[in-house]
Amino acid sequence: MIIATNRHAQVNVNLEAIKQNVKRQIESFNTDVDVFGVVKANGYGHGMVPVAQAILQAGAKGLCVAMIDEALELRQQGILCPILVLGIQDSSLAPLAVEYDISLPVGNLNWLKQATTYLKSTQQLKIHLAVDSGMGRIGFMDASQMPEIESFLTNHQTAFEVEGLFTHFATADEADDSYFNYQVSRFNAVKDKFNLKPKYIHMTNSATSLFHHNIHGNMVRIGIGLYGLNPSSSPSAKDLDLPYDLSPALSLTSELVFVKEITPEMGVSYGATYKAEKSQWIGTIPVGYADGWSRKMQGFKVKVGDEYCPIVGRVCMDQFMVKLSKPYDVGTRVTLISDNPNEPNSVTAVANYIDTIHYEVICGLTPRLKRVYHNSIESE
Ligand SMILES: *Cc1c(COP(=O)(O)O)cnc(C)c1O
């Protein structure tokens, strides 16, 4: 996709905020824990490579991505740290992973058997065994499977280095911790049955690190928290309070590219769903659903200059319109998403408005929007 560098619409990323968030996470663990920053999905929309570099500068020991292509991109950009892929990859990719020193997750014996048919005799793949303690996504189901895995791995030591054993929690962001505790006990049962001592035991995502701080191995996988957002952020339930402040790093800004006054008989946008009761100033902003700015944002208020103005008419693919109280100048700054968590157009407010989570809003911002990096708190 083409990055639209010539239009006035951009994702602003405050790398200093990300570094601060990394440092706060690292400091929150009093024992030796290696923080791996999760940079999948284009660094949660912030831009994978600049974010990865900032995270590592701030003291993270490694990175996690969802798929091998993301890991290869990091390597191609000269990033040398340990990289763990979190999703199951085709077993035929095992040799490629070895070539680029990328660690892969494994969730069943069959995958290991297949991988041995692809690996050359000189190649050893770093693997992390996934345990499905209750997420229902990937991994070994229970402790009874471990002896068989262990004997296979013992017989194939030249092909596999067992670098990690891990699980993932489904409800770490919720106030009721009964299912969380169920998962902990299931994971511990597997861990206790497993005699090959991997370098890393890990189960911590951002929510676990923030809300279940005493439950961690010696490695943690932190995503949303590094971007300064509270993982407990459901549109339908009350959020858990953060134990310490995090600084959101992303804002989405644009400007008015067209301003005009419409008469009452004229509608605005597809379907002419908005009609003014009297003459009305309308501004046009060059951002649309092809940028990840959902059609469901109709009615939401974005900040034009110092005023919050409602989106009127349907959001188009590349543009949307707002109702203005006066004839603002073309070029007036518009903040669609604020990096201030207390503003009515924070990313969480945007997500709540369209009944989703902020994760989806930020990683849905498409590559067409240019990313602009700052190193200090941006003033709006
Ligand atoms: C995405 C992901 C994470 C990071 O989750 P956050 O909630 O963003 O911290 C950690 N572990 C796994 C397995 C993941 O898929």
Side-chain angles (χ1 to χ4, degrees), residues 27-61:
E27 283 161 11
S28 76
F29 295 104
N30 43 24
T31 53
D32 268 352
V33 173
D34 283 358
V35 170
F36 275 50
V38 182
V39 295
K40 61 193 180 188
N42 196 24
Y44 290 45
H46 295 60
M48 181 173 66
V49 172
V51 161
Q53 287 162 339
I55 287 173
L56 293 169
Q57 275 170 24
K61 290 282 163 37

Side-chain angles (χ1 to χ4, degrees), residues 38 40 44 64-66 86-87 137-138 166-168 202-207 221-227 231 359:
V38 182
K40 61 193 180 188
Y44 290 45
C64 296
V65 291
L86 297 170
R137 197 163 66 175
I138 60 167
F166 75 104
T167 196
H168 191 54
H202 51 109
M203 62 279 265
T204 297
N205 56 359
S206 300
R221 314 178 302 265
I222 313 287
I224 200 80
L226 303 187
Y227 305 99
Y359 289 80

Side-chain angles (χ1 to χ4, degrees), residues 119-296:
L119 288 165
K120 298 191 196 82
S121 60
T122 54
Q123 289 187 308
Q124 191 189 39
L125 177 68
K126 290 179 181 164
I127 56 169
H128 288 231
L129 299 180
V131 177
D132 186 355
S133 58
M135 177 70 182
R137 197 163 66 175
I138 60 167
F140 297 95
M141 298 301 286
D142 57 56
S144 68
Q145 288 176 295
M146 297 327 278
E148 195 186 9
I149 298 301
E150 209 172 299
S151 74
F152 182 88
L153 290 169
T154 309
N155 292 330
H156 293 83
Q157 285 181 26
T158 53
F160 303 106
E161 177 192 337
V162 186
E163 190 180 46
L165 182 75
F166 75 104
T167 196
H168 191 54
F169 293 116
T171 62
D173 58 334
E174 292 177 10
D176 179 350
D177 60 7
S178 49
Y179 195 74
F180 177 86
N181 291 329
Y182 162 78
Q183 284 198 256
V184 171
S185 63
R186 284 195 51 161
F187 180 64
N188 285 338
V190 173
K191 193 181 68 179
D192 295 344
K193 257 266 165 75
F194 194 60
N195 298 307
L196 308 173
K197 293 291 164 234
K199 176 177 178 193
Y200 284 128
I201 303 284
H202 51 109
M203 62 279 265
T204 297
N205 56 359
S206 300
T208 311
S209 128
L210 292 161
F211 308 123
H212 305 273
H213 194 254
N214 50 344
I215 303 286
H216 60 77
N218 56 355
M219 169 183 155
V220 295
R221 314 178 302 265
I222 313 287
I224 200 80
L226 303 187
Y227 305 99
L229 299 173
N230 183 347
S232 171
S233 182
S234 148
S236 55
K238 190 183 172 319
D239 303 346
L240 296 177
D241 290 334
L242 289 171
Y244 47 87
D245 281 348
L246 295 172
S247 313
L250 178 147
S251 63
L252 173 60
T253 56
S254 182
E255 57 184 56
L256 295 176
V257 290
F258 202 83
V259 175
K260 42 108 185 354
E261 192 173 33
I262 60 164
T263 52
E265 57 278 9
M266 275 186 68
V268 172
S269 194
Y270 293 114
T273 57
Y274 175 78
K275 289 220 168 85
E277 279 157 25
K278 49 184 179 16
S279 296
Q280 176 64 52
W281 289 99
I282 298 287
T284 302
I285 293 139
V287 176
Y289 60 80
D291 301 300
W293 186 248
S294 170
R295 286 178 87 238
K296 295 188 193 127

